[in-house]
Amino acid sequence: MVASSSASTNSDDRQAVEHIRGRSLPQEWPAAALAAGSRVAVVRDPHGDGRPWRNEFPGTIDDMGAPEPVENSHARAGELAYWVVFDGPQYDSYGDGPYRKALIWDRYLRPDPPLPGSTSNGPRSA
């Protein structure tokens, strides 16, 4: 029952985001990207005032949409943005929220080390 509820929420989220964007979310996963289900820490920007998040927190790469290139003049070459589900509600650096999921540039993600006896989270994009 929990799995179907989660799948239903993910489907509802995808439909809402696609409606707002006016296009479908990509579903083809880049080969060098973190895998869906990978555990990550969402980190603050060390070169600024800590934006975009108020604090560091854990989450999981979501399969709602495949990682996609960041189209912004401040993006690094080949930088990807991932949908991340947060372990608990989070506030951004402006105090807005709480958020339970967001599209996050990979510079703000740090793969969590695997637990002893488990496999690696896989390769990370450059």
Side-chain angles (χ1 to χ4, degrees), residues 70-104:
V70 176
E71 296 178 9
N72 184 293
S73 62
H74 298 289
R76 299 173 183 152
E79 187 163 15
L80 296 174
Y82 293 82
W83 286 102
V84 178
V85 175
F86 308 148
D87 286 4
Q90 298 297 326
Y91 291 86
D92 67 18
S93 59
Y94 296 105
D96 293 333
Y99 299 102
R100 61 180 174 80
K101 178 190 290 189
L103 185 64
I104 300 181

Side-chain angles (χ1 to χ4, degrees), residues 10 29 34-42 57-64 82-88 100-102 104 109-110 112 121:
N10 216 23
W29 216 266
L34 291 169
S38 296
R39 295 290 296 159
V40 294
V42 178
F57 54 88
T60 303
I61 301 295
D62 194 39
D63 64 356
M64 181 176 86
Y82 293 82
W83 286 102
V84 178
V85 175
F86 308 148
D87 286 4
R100 61 180 174 80
K101 178 190 290 189
I104 300 181
L109 299 176
R110 184 182 69 234
D112 272 355
N121 283 336

Side-chain angles (χ1 to χ4, degrees), residues 4-45:
S4 64
S5 173
S6 176
S8 175
T9 298
N10 216 23
S11 177
D12 291 347
D13 288 349
R14 183 176 54 253
Q15 289 177 1
V17 169
E18 288 175 344
H19 178 76
I20 291 167
R21 288 181 159 195
R23 63 177 172 84
S24 296
L25 290 175
Q27 295 300 310
E28 188 172 327
W29 216 266
L34 291 169
S38 296
R39 295 290 296 159
V40 294
V42 178
V43 300
R44 298 174 71 198
D45 184 354

